[in-house]
Amino acid sequence: MTSETGKKDTKLSDLNVSITKISQNINKLYDERKSLNLMSLAMNNDLDNIKGLPEEQQKILIEVQERQKEANKLRKMRDEINSNIILPEQAILENLYLYYYRLTGEESDLRYPTLKKEAEMFSRFLELQQMFTQKIKSTQYHNQFQELMSEQLSTIDKLNEIRKKSGNSKISISNKIDNKSPIGFKIFKINKKIASNKHKINQLKKEKAALESKLGIKGRKKKKYKVPDLSSIQDRISEGGSLSLDDLGALLKHGKGIQEIEKTVQKSKNTKKTVKNAPKRRIQTSRGRRRAGPRDSSVKNDR
Amino acid sequence: MEPKTLLQLKPELLAKAIIHRRQHLMNQLPELIKKAKEEVRDAEEAIKYHEDLTSGKDANTVGNKEKGKKLREDFNLAIGRLNRAENIFKNSEEIISFWEGKLEFGFEELLNDSLRVENGGASSWALRKKSTKNDVGEEE
């Protein structure tokens, strides 16, 4: 029974890793598509006729192309690290803690690892440290890549402004794909890959949900903290009833001591009295026709 | 422990922590073994007593069967604990000398994976994933 649950647990963690990997892949494809769009913009639309363009525009387009090369390099480095280190940063840290405590902590029921296992965990621990360092590098590359891409877009805006002033047509990164051009074909292939990856990720998520329900894990809904019913505890104290440990915990957590509660109990009794003395509102049925017009007498007098 | 401390922990320090745990355990083990032996004896006696008590017609009743099963489970647990304690006691010296040796002569093969990742290679997790994928591909 427990081995079955263990198997399901490992399957679940495998699924989580696969989902993270595929979503990383999708993001990678999005970035690739974006940069291909920009490349096609720089290469096909303008650089073919670069000699015919004004010098300022030529410079900008060359700048775009150079920056794109740099961005592509960064993206490649980031993706290489991500394919080598498939665990996300959080999982790396969790594993580090796990291995550290398995290696140095006290185990229940004397279940200490064998020498072979201990050496293996030691090696894994040191590997995880390096994995984290690499992952940080990957994040740095990603941030630099994003920065360059936003620079690219702002440069294109700049170029468009210049072209607008000189009466030329606006350059835009179109969603239309010209399948005949090599870049267009690449974009077309990337779109196909994105679609199939999305399909895969949906299937995995369904599988994960089914597995979670089998294991009795509720979805991602956070467990709501049940606010204890302080009034019922108050009543019990005022009646001289006994308090459970949970009740006492609730009182301590919500910052009310017994004395304070007793005060509030007395206060609430007083408020009950004042409520009793408050003038009652008369609700009666009235005879005759319903009065027309506003019921406010001051308005009536104005008439 | 802070993640930063964990990320900067040197292999030497980790090895020292492992040795410390093993030495601490070795000091405790004689007492733990003694206790485990007592538990085994108690469990054995409980089984014998139960068998004597239920010998005859009552042995096959559901309640007695379950009680017997539970007592045997307790006995197995106690035996398991005793075996583990004795094994640890037997292996502790070897384990401690292994780590002391590493501290003295270097960690060599234990650093292979870490060095591979440091030089931009694939992590063991990625390699395992690739190999399982390949296995599935070959099977298909």
Side-chain angles (χ1 to χ4, degrees):
Chain A
M1 191 70 184
T2 42
S3 67
E4 223 173 87
T5 331
K7 270 182 192 172
K8 277 176 189 166
D9 274 331
T10 45
K11 205 185 170 189
L12 189 64
S13 66
D14 279 351
L15 275 175
N16 278 331
V17 171
S18 307
I19 287 169
T20 326
K21 215 188 162 190
I22 292 172
S23 60
Q24 271 178 359
N25 208 15
I26 290 174
N27 287 336
K28 191 174 100 181
L29 288 167
Y30 276 141
D31 288 341
E32 209 174 320
R33 188 172 66 183
K34 207 170 163 187
S35 56
L36 274 173
N37 266 322
L38 284 167
M39 268 303 252
S40 86
L41 177 84
M43 300 283 286
N44 296 346
N45 298 350
D46 305 287
L47 289 187
D48 285 347
N49 304 313
I50 198 161
K51 278 173 191 168
L53 287 169
E55 203 183 331
E56 203 182 1
Q57 288 187 34
Q58 275 185 36
K59 267 186 187 174
I60 290 172
L61 283 170
I62 289 168
E63 195 190 311
V64 167
Q65 203 183 22
E66 290 300 315
R67 203 184 289 129
Q68 195 55 52
K69 275 181 194 165
E70 210 183 324
N72 287 347
K73 216 168 130 186
L74 284 168
R75 196 192 64 209
K76 204 180 162 191
M77 291 198 298
R78 177 202 70 185
D79 293 345
E80 208 180 314
I81 293 177
N82 285 349
S83 71
N84 281 336
I85 288 132
I86 53 171
L87 290 183
E89 280 167 44
Q90 191 56 38
I92 294 175
L93 276 181
E94 279 170 17
N95 274 308
L96 266 174
Y97 272 105
L98 181 83
Y99 284 129
Y100 180 74
Y101 286 109
R102 285 279 285 135
L103 284 167
T104 63
E106 205 167 307
E107 294 286 345
S108 62
D109 221 13
L110 292 170
R111 293 189 187 278
Y112 289 93
T114 57
L115 177 59
K116 196 185 163 195
K117 192 82 193 154
E118 210 167 66
E120 197 187 310
M121 283 198 283
F122 182 89
S123 176
R124 290 265 178 282
F125 180 88
L126 300 175
E127 191 185 348
L128 282 163
Q129 283 181 328
Q130 285 307 327
M131 280 164 73
F132 196 82
T133 319
Q134 292 292 323
K135 214 64 183 172
I136 285 171
K137 265 191 204 170
S138 143
T139 314
Q140 279 171 352
Y141 293 150
H142 176 72
N143 291 340
Q144 283 172 8
F145 171 75
Q146 291 290 341
E147 253 175 53
L148 285 180
M149 291 314 277
S150 64
E151 265 181 56
Q152 289 287 67
L153 291 172
S154 63
T155 312
I156 283 158
D157 285 343
K158 205 167 117 188
L159 185 67
N160 277 332
E161 258 179 43
I162 294 166
R163 286 174 75 86
K164 202 177 163 186
K165 273 177 197 167
S166 59
N168 283 322
S169 61
K170 195 183 165 187
I171 291 171
S172 64
I173 307 166
S174 68
N175 289 325
K176 271 189 178 179
I177 303 158
D178 177 18
N179 285 352
K180 283 172 191 170
S181 78
I183 290 181
F185 184 63
K186 270 187 185 174
I187 294 172
F188 171 74
K189 273 173 92 178
I190 286 172
N191 282 343
K192 269 189 134 183
K193 273 184 193 171
I194 290 173
S196 75
N197 272 319
K198 277 187 175 173
H199 181 69
K200 259 187 217 170
I201 216 168
N202 283 338
Q203 272 184 330
L204 287 177
K205 277 181 182 171
K206 271 181 198 170
E207 218 174 298
K208 187 187 161 189
L211 206 62
E212 277 178 344
S213 69
K214 270 182 197 169
L215 284 167
I217 304 167
K218 281 178 188 170
R220 281 185 185 172
K221 279 178 192 172
K222 279 183 182 174
K223 273 185 185 173
K224 278 186 183 173
Y225 173 65
K226 259 193 173 180
V227 181
D229 188 10
L230 283 176
S231 60
S232 67
I233 304 173
Q234 282 177 3
D235 290 345
R236 231 176 295 153
I237 292 171
S238 61
E239 284 162 13
S242 61
L243 280 177
S244 70
L245 270 176
D246 288 344
D247 295 341
L248 208 59
L251 290 176
L252 286 170
K253 203 168 185 179
H254 292 271
K256 277 190 176 181
I258 291 171
Q259 285 177 336
E260 218 173 301
I261 283 177
E262 276 173 347
K263 272 182 207 168
T264 52
V265 169
Q266 283 197 333
K267 265 186 197 173
S268 64
K269 276 180 184 172
N270 292 338
T271 47
K272 267 184 188 173
K273 273 183 186 174
T274 49
V275 167
K276 262 187 182 177
N277 295 336
K280 282 180 183 173
R281 208 177 139 198
R282 284 185 185 177
I283 304 164
Q284 282 182 331
T285 50
S286 55
R287 283 187 175 187
R289 267 175 55 213
R290 193 178 157 225
R291 278 179 291 173
R295 286 179 187 180
D296 189 349
S297 57
S298 61
V299 182
K300 214 176 181 182
N301 290 339
D302 283 347
R303 273 183 169 184
Chain B
M1 188 179 267
E2 289 285 307
K4 203 180 162 187
T5 324
L6 216 54
L7 286 163
Q8 289 171 348
L9 193 71
K10 298 268 174 246
E12 290 80 14
L13 266 179
L14 185 58
K16 279 179 187 170
I18 293 171
I19 292 172
H20 179 262
R21 174 175 83 167
R22 289 284 173 186
Q23 279 169 342
H24 179 69
L25 198 61
M26 266 190 80
N27 295 336
Q28 285 183 324
L29 274 172
E31 188 59 34
L32 287 171
I33 290 172
K34 198 180 152 191
K35 213 175 154 187
K37 276 181 180 167
E38 276 171 20
E39 276 173 7
V40 170
R41 208 180 305 129
D42 289 348
E44 235 170 356
E45 277 171 13
I47 288 175
K48 262 186 192 170
Y49 180 74
H50 178 73
E51 279 172 356
D52 290 344
L53 208 69
T54 57
S55 59
K57 285 177 187 175
D58 292 339
N60 289 329
T61 61
V62 180
N64 281 335
K65 266 187 181 175
E66 272 186 12
K67 177 84 180 161
K69 199 181 162 190
K70 202 187 168 293
L71 286 172
R72 269 193 299 279
E73 275 171 11
D74 288 345
F75 174 76
N76 288 340
L77 279 176
I79 277 278
R81 213 171 293 135
L82 179 64
N83 285 341
R84 277 197 296 280
E86 280 173 343
N87 276 336
I88 293 167
F89 192 71
K90 225 189 285 168
N91 299 330
S92 280
E93 271 182 21
E94 187 199 343
I95 292 173
I96 289 170
S97 67
F98 171 83
W99 289 112
E100 278 173 346
K102 290 288 165 204
L103 273 175
E104 205 177 336
F105 303 110
F107 295 95
E108 294 163 355
E109 76 282 354
L110 297 181
L111 297 175
N112 284 349
D113 293 335
S114 152
L115 284 172
R116 190 184 58 242
V117 173
E118 195 181 356
N119 295 327
S123 64
S124 307
W125 279 263
L127 288 174
R128 221 181 307 152
K129 189 97 189 164
K130 267 181 202 168
S131 71
T132 49
K133 252 188 189 176
N134 288 343
D135 288 347
V136 172
E138 275 170 23
E139 275 173 26
E140 281 171 359

